[in-house]
Amino acid sequence: MPTEFKIVLFLCSWGPHAAFQRLQDQRADIPPEIKMVRIPCSGRISKALLFKPFEMGADGVILVGCAPGACRYGTGTETAAENTEDTRRILDLIGLDGERVQLGNFQPDAADDLLAFLKAFAARIRELGKSPVRTQAGRDRFTSEPETVEAIVARHDVFACQDCGKCTSACSLALAGKPFSPRYVAAEIIAGHADRPDVRESVNACLTCGVCYERCPSAVNFPEFIKDMRAYYHERDVSAAPAHGGFFQSMMRAMTSEPLVPRRWTHLPESIRTNPKSRVLFFGGCASYFDIFFHKFLAVQTERIVEDSLRLLNFFDVEPALMSDERCCGHDLLWSGDRENFLRLARINADAIAATGAEEIITACPECCHTLGTEYARYGIELSVKVTHMHAFLEREIGKGAVAFKAPQGRMAFQDACRQSRFDGQADLPRKLLKHLCADTTDALDDDGAPTPCCGNSAWIGCDAFSKHFQVQRLQRVCQSGTTNLITACPKCQIHLRCAMEDVLRGDDLKVETMDLVSAIARSIYWA
Ligand code: SF4
Ligand code: SF4
Ligand code: SF4
């Protein structure tokens, strides 16, 4: 029987497959919208795999594995339960009802129970209706004709390279030991070898941290060149291998569907005061999704940055507006080459921001700040509002002189956010705030004023052993300096550095208390 609904069933080959096979042998009336994918173990279906069918047009996803205690690999049933629960929570937040994903556990002889479960799920999906996610196929194109390599090279004046090698000697990845040279990559692309796999791999490996651009005497903006080259590869379907199975890129692409209405702020503490009519709009970013995704292995709490920002705004008598349906700003799609979907998100965001009537956006995320404040305009999407980083707001308010800070306990080091320090040229801004924090304590801050290296990954692509080595080197330096608190300025820096800290083979060697600068201020500020 034809049906408009699509449900993907991931079915473990061991116990429950025997039950499903019995249903097929009996020609049982399995709902026709259910399409089965046989898998080796329910624990192998990651959050990315649970989410991917939704990006591709599914209305529901079922994961069926062995009953508790019956998994042949020991932990599959438990992992499947955790992945399903996390995915459900994220679906709820992005406005794709969490009930659209369900886990079932069945013994080989439980065919009747399995059939009842499948029927009940299919009926629930029919009640919920079609998924609001629109697939990419057949949608209007947002980009113009794909650019040629020659046009990209000319626009970034890569010919101006003097072959001096300063970029390579300063490159974050080269210093981590990766056989990688921006100068060589540029030369190979100029020589017409852009489509060679090793050149493409290098383009995708670049951290886009901007250290090379700072050093280049010819002002070759290598990160911008890389960004355009990634878009060139994306147009040809040879994008970078994403980290975490592409979960975040999938989620961002799903958010380009206008019928999808995210519920970004459903977990906001009641003590935080907001005002929908405020002329200040607070833009939260993706922290809440990160916290759910990483809670088991990294235990990060990046949403705390968002809540502390809102508390500090309230502290200074600002009750900001929030967009209940706030979407991702699109930073990672842009920097991983998916310009078309970046533009879709940007246009939806621009319209939603305009509808709030706000005059200023404040955000604590350096990537949101750079993307909303600079990249949107670069791609022809003008926001008629001023974009302010939370640090700038705090510096403005603290500068009025009515507040003081409790002295920090222990010694602090600072981790710059590349988009703030090198892209927006505001390396001094967080340092001014750190000086306020440490005003009454000598030797509390280990910082020479120069922006620190990148945290080892950007845009959720190209994470490899060198990223990890780079992070380990950074953390070793931090630990050796006697630092007890690593202060960060970007939720992703916390996540990536925490990932290196949690390396089981290193035990507690690299562990250091990590906190965002906004949170450090929120915990120590008081009216003088
Ligand atoms: S620093 Fe600039 S001029 Fe020197 S090799 Fe690198 S891209 Fe060329
Ligand atoms: S942006 Fe960073 S990782 Fe990429 S070439 Fe420049 S210094 Fe190296
Ligand atoms: S450093 Fe860790 S958290 Fe960051 S992208 Fe790589 S694996 Fe993921």
Side-chain angles (χ1 to χ4, degrees):
M1 184 176 62
T3 168
E4 58 173 324
F5 291 95
K6 293 182 189 135
I7 296 173
V8 174
L9 163 64
F10 290 116
L11 183 73
C12 169
S13 268
W14 298 102
H17 187 263
F20 191 80
Q21 216 163 21
R22 184 173 305 175
L23 294 177
Q24 287 177 316
D25 291 347
Q26 294 168 348
R27 296 184 181 274
D29 54 341
I30 300 168
E33 57 266 51
I34 295 178
K35 304 292 176 223
M36 188 267 282
V37 180
R38 197 169 162 176
I39 53 165
C41 173
S42 59
R44 301 295 299 162
I45 300 302
S46 63
K47 287 169 256 197
L49 285 171
L50 285 172
F51 192 88
K52 190 71 182 174
F54 291 108
E55 187 200 336
M56 297 173 75
D59 303 297
V61 173
I62 319 171
L63 177 58
V64 170
C66 295
C71 173
R72 280 159 205 256
Y73 308 107
T75 56
T77 310
E78 188 192 334
T79 305
E82 287 162 0
N83 284 342
T84 308
E85 179 55 24
D86 291 351
T87 308
R88 290 179 77 134
R89 288 174 64 200
I90 292 176
L91 289 189
D92 271 336
L93 268 185
I94 70 164
L96 231 183
D97 213 305
E99 284 189 76
R100 289 183 185 273
V101 171
Q102 189 147 349
L103 174 71
N105 299 100
F106 295 93
Q107 299 281 19
D109 59 357
D112 292 344
D113 293 344
L114 176 60
L115 182 61
F117 169 80
L118 297 177
K119 283 183 173 178
F121 184 79
R124 182 66 189 133
I125 292 296
R126 279 185 226 116
E127 277 167 23
L128 289 171
K130 291 289 294 167
S131 161
V133 175
R134 300 290 168 260
T135 57
Q136 306 293 315
R139 296 173 74 185
D140 291 341
R141 300 297 305 269
F142 268 128
T143 41
S144 47
E145 280 302 297
E147 267 192 307
T148 61
V149 173
E150 291 73 22
I152 295 170
V153 167
R155 183 144 40 78
H156 294 289
D157 202 12
V158 186
F159 295 115
C161 170
Q162 306 167 28
D163 221 12
C164 70
K166 285 186 177 165
C167 52
T168 304
S169 61
C171 169
S172 310
L173 277 177
L175 291 176
K178 191 174 174 86
F180 178 88
S181 161
R183 179 179 60 119
Y184 174 76
V185 172
E188 289 302 294
I189 291 173
I190 288 173
H193 302 145
D195 293 313
R196 227 173 52 201
D198 63 311
V199 174
R200 193 169 67 230
E201 194 275 328
S202 290
V203 166
N204 288 330
C206 170
L207 300 169
T208 69
C209 65
V211 171
C212 49
Y213 180 41
E214 270 182 343
R215 307 287 163 93
C216 178
S218 300
V220 175
N221 192 333
F222 198 73
E224 286 297 325
F225 173 55
I226 288 288
K227 185 167 66 170
D228 284 347
M229 284 306 301
R230 287 180 182 171
Y232 167 85
Y233 293 131
H234 189 85
E235 287 283 349
R236 285 153 187 79
D237 284 334
V238 281
S239 306
H244 303 289
F247 178 89
F248 294 109
Q249 283 88 353
S250 263
M251 186 183 79
M252 290 164 201
R253 279 195 280 272
M255 281 193 200
T256 64
S257 292
E258 286 188 78
L260 185 79
V261 182
R263 301 168 197 145
R264 171 65 180 82
W265 298 105
T266 42
H267 301 295
L268 198 63
E270 281 181 14
S271 58
I272 290 171
R273 303 189 313 274
T274 60
N275 174 5
K277 296 203 170 66
S278 175
R279 61 166 203 87
V280 174
L281 174 70
F282 183 78
F283 197 90
C286 291
S288 53
Y289 308 111
F290 298 154
D291 284 3
I292 297 171
F293 192 88
F294 290 109
H295 78 99
K296 177 150 190 278
F297 295 109
L298 303 183
V300 287
Q301 294 186 335
T302 56
E303 184 72 347
R304 186 191 280 183
I305 306 167
V306 172
E307 291 174 9
D308 285 336
S309 297
L310 290 166
R311 286 197 184 93
L312 282 166
L313 287 167
N314 287 175
F315 179 84
F316 288 112
D317 279 336
V318 175
E319 295 182 1
L322 300 173
M323 290 193 294
S324 60
D325 58 350
E326 184 191 302
R327 293 162 204 256
C328 167
C329 70
H331 172 278
D332 297 338
L333 289 177
L334 178 65
W335 286 91
S336 55
D338 189 352
R339 190 164 296 171
E340 183 169 0
N341 281 305
F342 161 72
L343 286 170
R344 283 200 173 102
L345 264 182
R347 283 172 201 223
I348 296 172
N349 282 332
D351 288 347
I353 290 166
T356 66
E359 294 164 17
E360 182 178 18
I361 295 173
I362 295 183
T363 177
C365 172
E367 292 185 346
C368 295
C369 190
H370 177 72
T371 305
L372 297 171
T374 304
E375 300 286 10
Y376 278 23
R378 189 172 273 157
Y379 293 95
I381 296 169
E382 297 292 339
L383 296 182
S384 53
V385 293
K386 181 179 162 198
V387 181
T388 304
H389 194 284
M390 188 66 197
H391 293 173
F393 167 83
L394 288 170
E395 178 58 18
R396 192 168 74 206
E397 294 300 319
I398 293 167
K400 292 175 184 167
V403 295
F405 299 89
K406 287 179 233 153
Q409 303 291 313
R411 192 166 155 79
M412 296 192 289
F414 180 61
Q415 172 65 39
D416 279 275
C418 296
R419 298 298 182 253
Q420 179 181 51
S421 61
R422 282 183 273 272
F423 282 56
D424 287 341
Q426 295 199 319
D428 58 335
L429 189 51
R431 288 177 168 78
K432 283 184 191 163
L433 294 172
L434 284 163
K435 281 187 184 136
H436 293 307
L437 267 180
C438 302
D440 297 330
T441 354
T442 54
D443 203 29
L445 184 61
D446 176 37
D447 182 61
D448 63 6
T452 55
C454 165
C455 67
N457 189 259
S458 79
W460 305 114
I461 56 171
C463 184
D464 63 10
F466 293 100
S467 309
K468 198 58 57 196
H469 182 55
F470 185 67
Q471 291 156 354
V472 167
Q473 282 182 328
R474 171 81 183 119
L475 289 169
Q476 281 172 333
R477 275 194 296 274
V478 166
C479 292
Q480 281 157 13
S481 72
T483 294
T484 50
N485 293 296
L486 178 59
I487 305 295
T488 54
C490 173
K492 288 189 193 154
C493 291
Q494 270 197 32
I495 293 167
H496 302 315
L497 291 171
R498 181 103 200 144
C499 182
M501 286 183 213
E502 290 298 320
D503 186 329
V504 284
L505 295 177
R506 290 188 173 269
D508 289 340
D509 283 5
L510 301 174
K511 290 209 170 121
V512 58
E513 193 68 38
T514 308
M515 185 182 282
D516 190 90
L517 179 54
V518 168
S519 295
I521 290 173
R523 270 149 191 69
S524 60
I525 198 166
Y526 62 92
W527 290 109

